[in-house]
Amino acid sequence: MKREEMLQRGLYQRKVWDMVIIGGGATGVGVAVDAASRGYDVLLLEQHDFGKGTSSRSTKLVHGGVRYLEQGNISLVMEALKERGLLRKNAPHLVHDLAFVVPSYTWWESPFYGFGLKVYNMLSGRYRFGPTSRLSREEMLKRLPNIKTDGLKGGVVYYDGQFDDTRLLINLVATAAEQGAVLLNYVEVTRLRRDVDGFLCGVIARDRESCQEYDIAAKVVINATGAFCDGVRRISDPNSTNLIAPSQGIHLVFDRSFLPSDTAIMVPHTPDGRVMFAIPWHNHTLVGTTDIAITDTPIEPRATEDEINFILETAGRYLERPPTRADVLSVFAGIRPLVRAGDGKSTAKLSRDHTIHIDSSGLLTIAGGKWTTYRNMAEDCVNHAATLAQLDERLCVTKNLAVHGSVYEASLPYELAHYGSDSRTIREIANSERELAGKLNAALPYTGAEVIFAVRHEMARTVEDVLARRTRALFLNARAAIEMALPVAALIARELSRDEAWQREQILDFQRLARGYLVG
């Protein structure tokens, strides 16, 4: 999967695409996979890197949503639980079962939450991950030796799914390409084309690397830009009203010692009305999340002091060793593209269900939803897009479509397991140049071979692409990632024939970015 080849197939030729998709996050790439696997001609354009926005900043869970069950949204829960099962089947190298415990500190909590979680498990039907059961105090301490013991009565254990969001996204980009789609990062849609009747018939796009502009024809244009979809809608209609009520959530990352087990903690009620999770992830502890309404949607959202303090305080109520600011290895914020409803005062109560909107010019916008249901959202979107473009009806095949890399090898070392079948190529790179086999930083498992693989085979173009999304260094340990910037820039420059000035600029750009992931 090389960007030069994608440019040749996508922008250097004159053709009319069945579908042009704007946005390279989970929704847009999911739509590309679905449409291409049905045999449609598909071009996807992303102005930054794949997953630069919301899709890289999730809680790393593939789940039905316990909170949605409490809200009475049974259909959304059942849909998500089914999709959770399909994801585990189609991407076993990236999606796995994870045990969650709900600790009880009063007598009524275990029976109360136990009943609700048994219903949650029942709704998953044949897609169940594991049994739900009540735990004694002793069983709780065996599973979570670091849980706060004062007043602990017991708890409930249930099972959900965990994944690496941008590793799945990059594998979905590869899947779409294997199905015939063309996907390009760093290509920005600047204008929308209209025919003589005022209907959209394509886009004007600019390659941000070469600054060359392209006139691209399409039978239908799909706006899958998530939290940024209203900006694209205003290109089509300057008078359009906002579809999205954005919400920000943050996560703090600590070392493994704060949760030294393979079991996660779920706190069903926090003061802001959200569920809080503390989960093991890539040999670290991830804790989140918050939910605050915001008015703007920056490409690099920043955690507020109130959010950081809220998570530290809430986590401290449940961990025997309360985490402090000094323990935070990284903090990252993400924006949820919630569909606007009601007065918009409580984003925690807004549904994560998706919606499809078609404006008077024919621009199709898909908004809302969540990572777990990306495949179902894509199926719905492609059905609508095919009708709008008057394309031949073709059945969706993604329920049984294996995601790229899904050949799972149990013998793979932990550091390479999430690459699945691609791990062979990484090992070949490391074997061909032994200096690429060593760690780039002692605090993290990533090697030079993974950098080379990301550039050669996964369209990584910058230090940020590699350290934030092809690996997860920035999200796990921001200081270690800053130290890795120099050797990573040198390896990318070698692969892409960049000069020393480019390397210096890349290092400075990444350092500025990474400082926003540090807690002062």
Side-chain angles (χ1 to χ4, degrees):
M1 189 171 66
K2 299 181 184 299
R3 191 173 187 273
E4 294 76 13
E5 295 175 0
M6 291 287 181
L7 281 170
Q8 185 68 40
R9 289 172 50 199
L11 300 185
Y12 295 166
Q13 58 178 310
R14 301 283 296 182
K15 65 179 291 185
V16 179
W17 296 89
D18 289 336
M19 301 180 190
V20 167
I21 303 163
I22 308 172
T27 303
V29 174
V31 171
V33 171
D34 186 295
S37 62
R38 297 194 203 193
Y40 297 128
D41 289 329
V42 179
L43 173 64
L44 181 145
L45 305 174
E46 164 57 50
Q47 68 171 330
H48 298 289
D49 184 34
F50 305 115
K52 164 70 174 176
T54 304
S55 297
S56 61
R57 303 160 188 270
S58 74
T59 311
K60 323 307 177 190
L61 298 180
V62 179
H63 62 145
V66 173
R67 183 163 54 83
Y68 314 141
L69 180 63
E70 184 184 21
Q71 293 173 356
N73 197 337
I74 303 298
S75 61
L76 177 61
V77 173
M78 293 184 70
E79 172 197 320
L81 288 171
K82 178 181 178 181
E83 294 299 323
R84 180 192 71 172
L86 293 175
L87 255 175
R88 182 178 62 173
K89 180 188 72 172
N90 292 327
H93 61 308
L94 288 168
V95 179
H96 62 87
D97 301 9
L98 181 65
F100 291 76
V101 297
V102 181
S104 302
Y105 290 90
T106 59
W107 66 268
W108 59 268
E109 289 180 305
S110 282
F112 179 78
Y113 294 124
F115 175 77
L117 290 169
K118 282 184 179 294
V119 172
Y120 180 74
N121 191 39
M122 178 188 70
L123 292 174
S124 61
R126 62 189 178 94
Y127 298 100
R128 294 181 186 181
F129 273 25
T132 298
S133 60
R134 290 169 62 177
L135 301 175
S136 66
R137 186 177 191 276
E138 291 71 26
E139 290 170 323
M140 282 288 294
L141 293 174
K142 185 176 180 180
R143 281 182 173 270
L144 292 168
N146 280 33
I147 193 96
K148 182 165 287 187
T149 57
D150 187 22
L152 182 66
K153 307 295 183 185
V156 179
V157 61
Y158 74 101
Y159 290 81
D160 243 322
Q162 185 179 35
F163 77 140
D164 185 317
D165 46 16
T166 48
R167 285 308 314 162
L168 177 59
L169 182 67
I170 297 303
N171 279 184
L172 287 171
V173 171
T175 305
E178 290 163 357
Q179 295 297 319
V182 174
L183 306 96
L184 282 161
N185 51 358
Y186 297 103
V187 176
E188 180 181 10
V189 172
T190 57
R191 301 194 301 279
L192 300 175
R193 294 182 57 203
R194 295 174 185 265
D195 62 20
V196 293
D197 297 316
F199 292 105
L200 294 188
C201 60
V203 302
I204 306 297
R206 180 177 64 90
D207 181 357
R208 296 181 63 189
E209 290 194 356
S210 67
C211 294
Q212 188 170 345
E213 195 169 73
Y214 298 91
D215 190 339
I216 302 165
K219 296 175 184 176
V220 64
V221 177
I222 298 171
N223 174 16
T225 54
F228 312 99
C229 74
D230 286 322
V232 176
R233 292 177 62 241
R234 279 190 286 275
I235 296 176
S236 174
D237 177 8
N239 297 316
S240 64
T241 57
N242 285 348
L243 189 65
I244 294 299
S247 161
Q248 175 166 298
I250 77 159
H251 296 81
L252 303 183
V253 179
F254 307 94
D255 67 44
R256 181 176 168 80
S257 66
F258 285 91
L259 197 66
S261 74
D262 294 325
T263 299
I265 299 173
M266 191 272 275
V267 179
H269 282 289
T270 63
D272 75 341
R274 281 196 61 80
V275 170
M276 192 197 81
F277 295 99
I279 65 174
W281 189 63
H282 284 313
N283 211 32
H284 288 70
T285 301
L286 185 150
V287 183
T289 177
T290 55
D291 194 319
I292 60 171
I294 55 177
T295 56
D296 60 343
T297 53
I299 191 63
E300 271 293 337
R302 292 285 181 246
T304 66
E305 287 299 308
D306 286 345
E307 288 179 293
I308 293 169
N309 292 334
F310 172 82
I311 289 184
L312 288 172
E313 179 191 356
T314 305
R317 297 177 186 175
Y318 295 91
L319 298 177
E320 192 66 33
R321 176 163 66 104
T324 67
R325 297 176 69 88
D327 297 313
V328 179
L329 299 178
S330 186
V331 53
F332 62 92
I335 300 174
R336 303 179 189 90
L338 306 181
V339 178
R340 186 171 295 277
D343 58 14
K345 292 180 180 178
S346 176
T347 55
K349 295 180 180 178
L350 291 184
S351 171
R352 267 54 174 177
D353 210 348
H354 73 274
T355 189
I356 290 176
H357 179 273
I358 302 172
D359 72 14
S360 58
S361 71
L363 176 67
L364 189 156
T365 297
I366 179 165
K370 58 179 190 157
W371 240 120
T372 305
T373 57
Y374 87 91
R375 191 212 63 83
N376 180 269
M377 293 168 59
E379 180 179 354
D380 191 19
C381 180
V382 174
N383 288 342
H384 281 78
T387 300
L388 188 62
Q390 301 181 43
L391 302 174
D392 292 338
E393 290 188 12
R394 298 170 185 172
L395 294 178
C396 173
V397 299
T398 55
K399 287 182 180 178
N400 299 302
L401 182 65
V403 172
H404 175 87
S406 62
V407 179
Y408 181 71
E409 298 179 27
S411 60
L412 283 176
Y414 171 81
E415 293 81 2
L416 294 179
H418 53 280
Y419 285 101
S421 59
D422 283 335
S423 62
R424 300 188 192 102
T425 305
I426 295 172
R427 285 180 289 187
E428 289 169 1
I429 294 171
N431 290 335
S432 66
E433 297 183 63
R434 295 307 302 171
E435 65 272 19
L436 297 177
K439 289 184 179 181
L440 293 166
N441 187 281
L444 294 169
Y446 304 118
T447 67
E450 290 173 78
V451 178
I452 299 301
F453 176 80
V455 177
R456 287 181 187 173
H457 302 286
E458 295 187 332
M459 299 174 67
R461 311 298 290 178
T462 70
V463 170
E464 181 192 340
D465 294 349
V466 170
L467 291 178
R469 290 173 292 278
R470 305 309 185 278
T471 71
R472 309 317 307 275
L474 179 60
F475 286 76
L476 293 172
N477 189 323
R479 287 184 176 82
I482 289 172
E483 294 171 6
M484 294 163 68
L486 192 152
V488 168
L491 288 171
I492 298 173
R494 190 188 83 174
E495 284 296 301
L496 298 181
S497 301
R498 307 297 196 219
D499 60 19
E500 290 187 4
W502 180 90
Q503 293 182 54
R504 288 193 295 270
E505 184 179 3
Q506 279 289 301
I507 292 167
L508 289 174
D509 285 348
F510 183 77
Q511 289 173 341
R512 281 192 291 266
L513 172 78
R515 282 194 284 270
Y517 290 70
L518 297 171
V519 172

